[in-house]
Amino acid sequence: MPFGAHETMEVHEILSEKKCMIEHFSMYERQCQDPTLREMLHRHIQTATQSYNQLVSYTHDYHTAQTKMMPMHTAHTYDIKYGLHNPAPSAPQTDMTKMNDQSIASAMLLAHKNSAKNHMAAALECADPNVRQMLVNGSVMCTHEAYETFNYMNHRGMYQVPTMSDHTAKTMLHHYQPMAQGMTGSMEATGQAAYGTGQNGIQDAPKM
């Protein structure tokens, strides 16, 4: 088998996760009430299925690698609404016989965010360049679909974005200043002068 033990286990975890996502999203699609959410679920199931089949096919014959990025749907985007506006109290519901649209959207968002992180973490452990690229592509796709889900939720008041005062935000971020051009070269020269160069161009260790 051309795969290493580590990447074999990583691919196994990703395929297991993607299989679970497809099954759950299919159930959500049958239960959701909002046509916009249902259409989004349908597209996300299709992209997850395509990604799953590509990875399965390659692990079966090692030849049919589809490493090109799948086209991403450009969903309608809304202006992001910032700030907390009397968010409703929330607690786990254990007596639900059917999920409401907010619970479905929340589950979608968490699934995509976790899948994006898991795909990228798995890609970093893969030696096979085709598997690596397919996992990177999967991470990018999940990132895109997570943002689409967030955008839907934010527009409908399901996901409110906390803010801090402009003064606090600027104080934190304006602490960092642009680096002057050519500074990197100067730093390298300073380092070489400090350590010196020994025989064969190898830098001497600093003297204690």
Side-chain angles (χ1 to χ4, degrees), residues 40 44 75-82 108-109 112-113 116 140-154 159:
M40 187 163 59
H44 291 192
H76 179 69
T77 57
Y78 309 95
D79 291 334
I80 302 302
K81 300 176 182 179
Y82 290 94
M108 289 173 63
L109 180 61
H112 284 315
K113 289 168 72 172
V140 173
M141 181 62 70
C142 287
T143 300
H144 175 81
E145 292 179 339
Y147 187 73
E148 183 183 13
T149 306
F150 155 76
N151 201 268
Y152 165 89
M153 296 179 70
N154 178 258
Y159 193 127

Side-chain angles (χ1 to χ4, degrees), residues 170-190:
K170 288 178 180 178
T171 299
M172 288 184 66
L173 299 180
H174 291 189
H175 167 76
Y176 302 97
Q177 297 297 308
M179 184 174 177
Q181 294 293 325
M183 184 65 72
T184 302
S186 299
M187 293 173 65
E188 290 175 352
T190 302

Side-chain angles (χ1 to χ4, degrees), residues 7-207:
E7 63 189 344
T8 297
M9 293 304 301
E10 295 289 353
V11 171
H12 159 72
E13 293 293 336
I14 292 298
L15 289 175
S16 178
E17 177 186 57
K18 201 172 290 288
K19 173 179 176 289
C20 184
M21 177 187 287
I22 294 168
E23 293 170 348
H24 278 241
F25 280 21
S26 298
M27 180 180 65
Y28 301 157
E29 185 182 14
R30 293 191 297 271
Q31 294 190 9
C32 73
Q33 301 299 310
D34 184 354
T36 301
L37 181 60
R38 188 181 304 113
E39 186 272 337
M40 187 163 59
L41 272 161
H42 184 72
R43 285 189 288 101
H44 291 192
I45 292 168
Q46 288 181 318
T47 55
T49 301
Q50 185 176 353
S51 177
Y52 172 86
N53 284 339
Q54 287 177 355
L55 196 51
V56 167
S57 295
Y58 184 66
T59 58
H60 283 199
D61 62 26
Y62 319 114
H63 296 295
T64 56
Q66 299 292 329
T67 57
K68 289 185 178 180
M69 188 71 199
M70 290 183 288
M72 291 184 284
H73 176 79
T74 303
H76 179 69
T77 57
Y78 309 95
D79 291 334
I80 302 302
K81 300 176 182 179
Y82 290 94
L84 299 179
H85 307 284
N86 299 315
S90 180
Q93 302 295 317
T94 59
D95 57 349
M96 296 172 62
T97 58
K98 185 176 181 179
M99 295 179 69
N100 58 40
D101 285 353
Q102 182 166 352
S103 294
I104 289 172
S106 296
M108 289 173 63
L109 180 61
L110 290 172
H112 284 315
K113 289 168 72 172
N114 285 316
S115 190
K117 290 184 284 189
N118 291 340
H119 271 79
M120 190 58 71
L124 293 170
E125 302 299 333
C126 287
D128 185 289
N130 293 317
V131 173
R132 189 182 187 91
Q133 189 59 53
M134 282 188 279
L135 292 176
V136 169
N137 291 349
S139 179
V140 173
M141 181 62 70
C142 287
T143 300
H144 175 81
E145 292 179 339
Y147 187 73
E148 183 183 13
T149 306
F150 155 76
N151 201 268
Y152 165 89
M153 296 179 70
N154 178 258
H155 177 68
R156 287 161 175 74
M158 299 175 180
Y159 193 127
Q160 298 189 17
V161 181
T163 59
M164 59 177 63
S165 71
D166 287 346
H167 174 74
T168 302
K170 288 178 180 178
T171 299
M172 288 184 66
L173 299 180
H174 291 189
H175 167 76
Y176 302 97
Q177 297 297 308
M179 184 174 177
Q181 294 293 325
M183 184 65 72
T184 302
S186 299
M187 293 173 65
E188 290 175 352
T190 302
Q192 290 176 358
Y195 291 103
T197 303
Q199 295 179 350
N200 301 320
I202 299 176
Q203 286 187 346
D204 294 329
K207 293 180 172 57

